[in-house]
Amino acid sequence: HAPPPGQVHYLAPGERFSVAGVGTVSLEQCPADGLRLSPGERLAVRWRQGGERCHLSGRSRNRSLKAIMQELGVPPWWRNRVPLVCLGEEVLAVGDLVRCESSRWRAAAEEGEPLWEFRWKRPVGASSD
């Protein structure tokens, strides 16, 4: 079963939590190619409500999450289970499937500034339920 559309979980660096029907999500430190967060910032993890958009790297315009998930071949019954990684109203990533353009993504960390990677471990058998 998918989480309720309005449900939001907040994820701080180093935290992990499980959501029934979705799996486990975490925010883990990575050496490069990750998110820059200010001290005390937490990501909002929520689910599609409709109308969300993402600007994919290398594309000229924003696209609807519905179109992106169709393009990626995400089955219709799974689309409401894909966690959206947000900072405020900005969608940073669609699960671990795609990243949206954002000034928060960094190829390399600056001195003393950790970078963070969103990880999503799906439940066993998730692709076929």
Side-chain angles (χ1 to χ4, degrees):
H1 73 31
Q7 186 177 57
V8 178
H9 293 276
Y10 291 93
L11 188 61
E15 286 184 344
R16 151 189 328 258
F17 63 82
S18 295
V19 178
V22 171
T24 303
V25 297
S26 61
L27 193 55
E28 300 178 22
Q29 192 168 351
C30 61
D33 196 28
L35 276 169
R36 180 189 57 80
L37 295 174
S38 298
E41 274 188 321
R42 298 182 306 159
L43 297 177
V45 179
R46 58 185 178 85
W47 287 265
R48 281 183 58 214
Q49 295 182 34
E52 295 92 353
R53 301 187 71 76
C54 174
H55 186 167
L56 298 176
S57 190
R59 302 281 178 103
S60 61
R61 59 185 170 85
N62 286 338
R63 303 202 45 226
S64 73
L65 293 189
K66 179 180 178 180
I68 291 168
M69 287 193 205
Q70 286 172 336
E71 184 178 309
L72 294 172
V74 177
W77 60 88
W78 219 169
R79 292 177 191 159
N80 289 340
R81 297 180 194 189
V82 176
L84 304 181
V85 182
C86 306
L87 190 56
E89 294 301 311
E90 180 183 16
V91 178
L92 299 172
V94 180
D96 57 4
L97 305 174
V98 295
R99 291 179 176 179
C100 303
E101 280 286 325
S102 174
S103 62
R104 293 304 187 110
W105 293 108
R106 296 283 195 272
E110 293 180 16
E111 183 73 30
E113 177 185 69
L115 294 177
W116 302 96
E117 176 182 33
F118 178 80
R119 294 196 182 157
W120 175 28
K121 183 177 180 189
R122 294 150 184 82
V124 176
S127 61
S128 61
D129 66 354

